[in-house]
């Protein structure tokens, strides 16, 4: 295949297709999941729409703060 065409993209964040690569950047402080639907392309045409790709992402400021606090206090992160 030589490329992809995005059919359904998330309403939040940024989705981009370049060649055969799809990139997704979620909002900085968001968490959850999104679906992306696409077709594959070549010189003969496009495929049927492929199943949605589910992307999970998250931002957990409490976990980051707790890890930083543990490191400053010399404690080991038990997670």
């Amino acid at each position: 295949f030589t490329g992809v065409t995005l059919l359904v993209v998330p309403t939040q964040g940024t989705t981009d297709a370049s060649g055969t690569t799809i990139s997704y950047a979620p909002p900085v402080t968001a968490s959850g999941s999104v679906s992306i639907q696409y077709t594959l392309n070549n010189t003969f045409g496009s495929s049927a729409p492929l199943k949605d790709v589910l992307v999970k992402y998250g931002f957990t400021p409490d976990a980051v703060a707790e890890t930083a606090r543990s490191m400053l206090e010399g404690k080991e992160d038990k997670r």
Side-chain angles (χ1 to χ4, degrees):
F1 295 98
T2 57
V4 297
T5 299
L6 298 173
L7 300 177
V8 178
V9 297
T11 57
Q12 295 184 5
T14 305
T15 308
D16 184 51
S18 178
T20 57
T21 301
I22 298 173
S23 302
Y24 174 69
V28 176
T29 59
S31 64
S33 62
V34 296
S35 291
I36 300 171
Q37 189 179 67
Y38 62 97
T39 60
L40 297 173
N41 309 313
N42 63 22
T43 56
F44 300 104
S46 298
S47 69
L50 299 172
K51 286 188 173 185
D52 291 356
V53 173
L54 181 64
V55 178
K56 293 184 179 184
Y57 59 93
F59 176 73
T60 54
D62 293 336
V64 172
E66 182 60 33
T67 300
R69 186 173 19 263
S70 294
M71 289 174 68
L72 288 172
E73 295 173 357
K75 296 179 182 175
E76 194 176 317
D77 186 3
K78 303 288 185 192
R79 283 178 256 152

